[in-house]
Amino acid sequence: VLIVGAGGLGSPAALYLAAAGVGRIGLCDFDVVERSNLQRQILHDDRSVGTPKSDSGANRLGQLNPDIEVTSINERLTAANAKELLSGFDVVVDGTDSFEVRYLINDTAQALGIPVVHGSILRFEGQVTVFPPGGPSYRCLFPNAPPAEFSPNCATAGVLGVLPGIVGSMQATEAIKLIVGLPTLTGRLALYDALAQTIDQLSVQKQDGCPACG
């Protein structure tokens, strides 16, 4: 499993996948740990401040389960390296907070035939779904990115600290189900509301004109 983003979502996903015994985990993140991350990015601790998140996370997973292989990928995912970084993995867990990177992960995974476990969070709400090879894909759900003023990230708009733990754990659940062949959220978008403590679902349909999977 390749986990893109070793932050709020990637932290619980990585911990549970390592504990479950996933044989090979890749952690891709180009950022460094800051003290302000620690209220939600539980893969890291105060001793990790100032170190690359991918290295900090790989070290923590190795302590949790020394019998698995963990690869630290201290790189920014770009159009130039996406195909190389995703190749060889069976599942991609998208724990990013950038629309640009989400579309890049989606398009590359569709081209390589790799399922993507998508997760996103903001303030008190989160979303989870699975985009399988052949669609529906992220572009079926969101054909175009919203304007920047309507798409703040957690650093600027805030997020309830425990929310990524819940949504990231849901992503780990979907990744494990993909690995062992159980039904997943494919074709359904789970919407979690932490204020109301409710989970709703929306249908996600493949779009014929989708540039990624249509």
Side-chain angles (χ1 to χ4, degrees):
V1 175
L2 174 65
I3 301 172
V4 184
L9 293 173
S11 287
L15 288 167
Y16 277 113
L17 291 176
V22 171
R24 177 174 174 241
I25 295 175
L27 279 180
C28 180
D29 200 307
F30 67 94
D31 205 359
V32 299
V33 180
E34 299 179 10
R35 187 161 282 113
S36 61
N37 300 150
L38 301 182
Q39 48 86 262
R40 65 191 183 280
Q41 300 182 17
I42 59 173
L43 191 58
H44 316 290
D45 58 31
D46 197 67
R47 294 169 296 181
S48 305
V49 172
T51 64
K53 289 183 180 179
S54 58
D55 291 345
S56 169
N59 181 63
R60 176 69 181 90
L61 298 185
Q63 294 173 346
L64 177 63
N65 189 344
D67 296 322
I68 65 173
E69 176 187 346
V70 184
T71 303
S72 170
I73 306 171
N74 186 22
E75 296 184 49
R76 182 192 296 269
L77 191 72
T78 67
N81 64 15
K83 184 176 181 180
E84 178 184 357
L85 292 182
L86 268 63
S87 295
F89 288 96
D90 299 304
V91 178
V92 176
V93 173
D94 181 359
T96 65
D97 61 359
S98 161
F99 280 100
E100 179 183 359
V101 179
R102 287 174 188 161
Y103 285 113
L104 179 58
I105 292 171
N106 175 80
D107 297 349
T108 306
Q110 284 294 322
L112 295 175
I114 305 172
V116 175
V117 181
H118 165 74
S120 64
I121 52 173
L122 191 66
R123 298 189 178 101
F124 298 97
E125 300 177 347
Q127 302 179 356
V128 181
T129 190
V130 173
F131 298 121
S137 76
Y138 187 69
R139 288 190 184 273
C140 293
L141 185 61
F142 302 111
N144 301 295
E149 60 268 25
F150 295 115
S151 56
N153 58 28
C154 293
T156 57
V159 64
L160 180 67
V162 298
L163 179 63
I166 296 168
V167 175
S169 296
M170 294 171 70
Q171 288 182 273
T173 302
E174 295 304 304
I176 291 171
K177 290 194 294 181
L178 280 168
I179 292 169
V180 301
L182 293 174
T184 68
L185 278 170
T186 295
R188 294 174 293 146
L189 179 68
L191 306 171
Y192 175 71
D193 184 333
L195 287 179
Q197 285 289 16
T198 58
I199 299 179
D200 297 314
Q201 290 190 7
L202 298 177
S203 175
V204 180
Q205 301 293 330
K206 180 175 178 177
Q207 303 299 315
D208 292 337
C210 175
C213 69

